[in-house]
């Protein structure tokens, strides 16, 4: 598959021809392997084991990991385009490698040289797959409210106790970037938080277990479940960066890429809904002509086209800023907010265009409708995104 060039200033680029070849390969894979199985997997909530293996072979688990560690080293712009394309047919499977890549980004950006050499090559190939373990029953958007605690034992390792919830890849993943409190009494609270590499495969203490799997409205086939730590021992050399108290910034730093991913998924859902609505509107006839010729339908399609296009451009704008190494929490927040709302609105309008048939599981549009609302919630609610956008805007425009 294609790989990106990294310049001396660490700005990633990719030859346009290589990017086109990569996207063509994604299209062939979608046509041959993904589209034929979507309905069965989504309706049955079946883990797509074969597709996951194929994604590993294509290098998607190493998409944004540097070439020096065996990854593709793709720029965020190319990565976003890949996510958009896949999500326009089936959004859920992009979550399998997105959560994994956020974990990898935390290690690549903040890990020690030893941690990078040990973990990143195996992350890149998909030999070790995992995700991000931040959310707890009483701590979602407010990460500083987490209660999972890590205390050093007499051997110098850490003993974890607590529960994580809504963790993507919890059942089928191997490894997680786990946010905990190493100093519960720290003030401010974020100074007492640390991020660990929690390896399920090396659960010698028996203290890490998987809790219930959630039965979700949408986002099927990817497992969302609890992770429970009861005197779970993690070696000290798996503290990311090797220094306590850095976890909050390490975790939230990776969320910029995560929000770009969610924005790209929103774009995919918005564009996919538009594609389905456009096809149906030209096939369905009322009053002797295709409904696409009725003004009421054209008004809907015009709005859908505009929303999808604007969402794409905003997402690419955030991706460019990320690739330049610039602070992009505002840009990523704008893209995530707008694109996720565009996904919801386009899927709803497509449902209206389909009419009664949209309520049948025989038609794909109902899946887009079910999947879209998650985009407004995941990686920070849209209410929080608007607050982030406003705060950054005010900082930039003080009087």
């Amino acid at each position: 598959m294609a790989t990106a060039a990294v310049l001396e200033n660490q700005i990633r680029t990719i030859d346009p021809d290589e990017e086109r070849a990569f996207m063509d390969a994604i299209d062939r894979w979608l046509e041959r392997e993904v589209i034929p199985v979507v309905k069965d997997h989504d309706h049955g909530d079946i883990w797509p084991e074969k597709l996951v293996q194929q994604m590993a072979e294509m290098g998607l688990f190493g998409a944004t990991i540097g070439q020096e560690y065996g990854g593709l080293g793709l720029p965020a712009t190319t990565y976003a385009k890949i996510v958009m394309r896949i999500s326009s047919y089936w959004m859920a499977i992009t979550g399998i490698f997105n959560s994994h890549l956020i974990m990898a980004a935390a290690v690549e950006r903040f890990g020690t040289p030893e941690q990078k050499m040990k973990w990143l090559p195996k992350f890149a190939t998909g030999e070790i797959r995992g995700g991000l373990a931040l959310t707890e029953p009483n701590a979602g958007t407010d990460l500083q409210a987490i209660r999972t605690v890590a205390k050093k034992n007499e051997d110098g390792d850490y003993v974890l106790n607590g529960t994580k919830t809504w963790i993507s890849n919890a059942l089928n993943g191997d490894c997680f970037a786990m946010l905990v409190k190493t100093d519960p009494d720290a003030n401010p609270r974020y100074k007492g938080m640390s991020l660990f590499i929690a390896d399920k495969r090396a659960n010698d203490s028996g203290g890490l277990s998987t809790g219930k799997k959630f039965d979700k409205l949408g986002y099927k086939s990817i497992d969302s479940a609890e992770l429970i730590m009861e005197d779970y021992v993690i070696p000290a050399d798996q503290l990311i960066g090797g220094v306590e108290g850095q976890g909050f910034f390490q975790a939230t730093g990776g969320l910029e890429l995560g929000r770009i991913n969610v924005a790209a998924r929103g774009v995919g859902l918005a564009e996919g809904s538009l594609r389905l609505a456009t096809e149906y509107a030209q096939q369905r006839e009322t009053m002797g002509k295709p409904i696409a010729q009725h003004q009421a339908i054209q008004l809907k399609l015009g709005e859908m086209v505009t929303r999808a296009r604007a969402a794409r451009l905003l997402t690419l704008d955030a991706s460019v800023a990320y690739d330049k190494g610039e602070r992009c929490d505002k840009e990523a927040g704008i893209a995530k907010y707008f694109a996720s709302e565009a996904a919801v609105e386009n899927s709803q309008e497509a449902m209206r265009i389909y009419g009664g048939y949209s309520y049948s599981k025989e038609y794909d549009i109902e899946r887009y409708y079910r999947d879209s609302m998650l985009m407004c919630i995941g990686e920070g609610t849209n209410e929080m995104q608007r607050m982030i956008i406003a705060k950054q805007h005010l900082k930039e425009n003080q009087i």
Side-chain angles (χ1 to χ4, degrees):
M1 302 299 288
T3 57
V6 183
L7 304 182
E8 289 184 3
N9 59 2
Q10 298 301 303
I11 295 176
R12 290 177 176 176
T13 63
I14 186 169
D15 182 271
D17 290 336
E18 288 197 40
E19 184 180 79
R20 280 192 292 272
F22 200 117
M23 298 306 298
D24 288 343
I26 292 292
D27 284 339
R28 291 192 296 271
W29 175 66
L30 287 168
E31 185 69 28
R32 297 172 184 173
E33 304 292 343
V34 178
I35 294 173
V37 304
V38 175
K39 278 194 178 73
D40 286 343
H41 279 69
D42 176 75
H43 295 171
D45 198 9
I46 301 167
W47 169 255
E49 183 174 357
K50 181 179 178 182
L51 297 182
V52 170
Q53 182 59 40
Q54 292 168 350
M55 289 191 290
E57 292 169 358
M58 288 190 291
L60 291 180
F61 287 99
T64 57
I65 296 174
Q67 294 178 38
E68 64 270 35
Y69 303 111
L72 299 181
L74 297 178
T77 48
T78 303
Y79 173 58
K81 291 174 186 177
I82 293 168
V83 174
M84 292 174 190
R85 188 71 56 84
I86 297 173
S87 296
S88 70
Y89 290 94
W90 192 13
M91 182 277 291
I93 55 175
T94 66
I96 297 173
F97 60 82
N98 172 57
S99 185
H100 168 88
L101 288 171
I102 299 176
M103 169 187 66
V107 175
E108 187 167 8
R109 294 174 72 179
F110 305 109
T112 65
E114 294 77 15
Q115 289 169 342
K116 294 176 185 181
M117 291 305 300
K118 176 179 179 180
W119 297 98
L120 290 175
K122 293 181 180 180
F123 290 168
T125 62
E127 177 185 342
I128 297 178
R129 301 189 309 271
L132 197 63
L134 307 182
T135 305
E136 297 187 4
N138 294 299
T141 299
D142 181 13
L143 285 180
Q144 294 187 63
I146 64 169
R147 298 178 181 176
T148 298
V149 174
K151 296 182 179 180
K152 271 193 172 182
N153 62 16
E154 58 187 14
D155 297 322
D157 295 323
Y158 290 86
V159 181
L160 275 61
N161 284 281
T163 299
K164 297 293 181 179
T165 192
W166 287 106
I167 306 305
S168 297
N169 297 327
L171 295 175
N172 292 285
D174 307 305
C175 189
F176 301 88
M178 182 87 65
L179 187 66
V180 304
K181 285 192 172 177
T182 44
D183 183 1
D185 300 320
N187 187 21
R189 294 178 296 170
Y190 67 82
K191 290 188 174 181
M193 305 172 75
S194 301
L195 196 64
F196 286 86
I197 302 169
D199 188 356
K200 278 174 61 180
R201 303 167 312 147
N203 187 19
D204 296 333
S205 68
L208 176 62
S209 60
T210 304
K212 67 176 180 179
K213 174 187 174 183
F214 295 102
D215 186 11
K216 306 185 295 287
L217 169 70
Y219 199 42
K220 301 287 189 176
S221 296
I222 177 172
D223 48 299
S224 303
E226 295 176 324
L227 289 174
I228 301 168
M229 284 71 66
E230 296 178 312
D231 293 333
Y232 170 52
V233 178
I234 289 184
D237 63 7
Q238 289 175 210
L239 168 63
I240 295 179
V243 179
E244 293 184 9
Q246 304 299 308
F248 180 78
F249 297 106
Q250 293 170 349
T252 55
L255 290 179
E256 288 179 350
L257 181 63
R259 285 170 183 157
I260 289 171
N261 174 279
V262 171
R265 288 197 249 177
V267 172
L269 287 166
E271 292 181 343
S273 297
L274 172 61
R275 182 188 68 250
L276 293 176
T278 302
E279 293 171 355
Y280 184 80
Q282 295 177 83
Q283 296 166 354
R284 174 71 169 171
E285 292 189 358
T286 64
M287 303 176 190
K289 59 183 178 181
I291 62 173
Q293 296 182 22
H294 294 300
Q295 186 180 55
I297 301 300
Q298 291 176 357
L299 292 173
K300 291 182 183 297
L301 290 173
E303 291 176 348
M304 293 171 70
V305 170
T306 304
R307 273 194 295 266
R309 181 62 176 166
R312 172 175 281 267
L313 293 176
L314 285 170
T315 301
L316 292 176
D317 178 57
S319 301
V320 168
Y322 185 90
D323 285 333
K324 291 180 179 178
E326 298 173 354
R327 178 175 179 175
C328 60
D329 51 343
K330 185 179 79 169
E331 290 79 5
I334 290 172
K336 190 270 182 187
Y337 164 57
F338 188 90
S340 59
E341 296 290 347
V344 171
E345 292 169 10
N346 272 18
S347 66
Q348 288 178 342
E349 288 295 83
M351 292 277 286
R352 294 173 187 270
I353 290 172
Y354 269 77
Y357 287 112
S358 69
Y359 231 57
S360 169
K361 285 194 172 184
E362 293 181 16
Y363 291 83
D364 288 326
I365 191 58
E366 60 87 28
R367 182 179 72 255
Y368 289 73
Y369 180 72
R370 287 187 287 107
D371 283 351
S372 64
M373 192 60 203
L374 174 65
M375 301 298 94
C376 296
I377 300 169
E379 301 294 346
T381 65
N382 279 358
E383 289 72 21
M384 180 58 69
Q385 301 312 311
R386 284 181 283 178
M387 291 172 63
I388 292 171
I389 295 164
K391 288 178 180 178
Q392 288 299 318
H393 175 73
L394 291 170
K395 282 183 181 179
E396 295 165 359
N397 294 274
Q398 291 182 355
I399 58 174

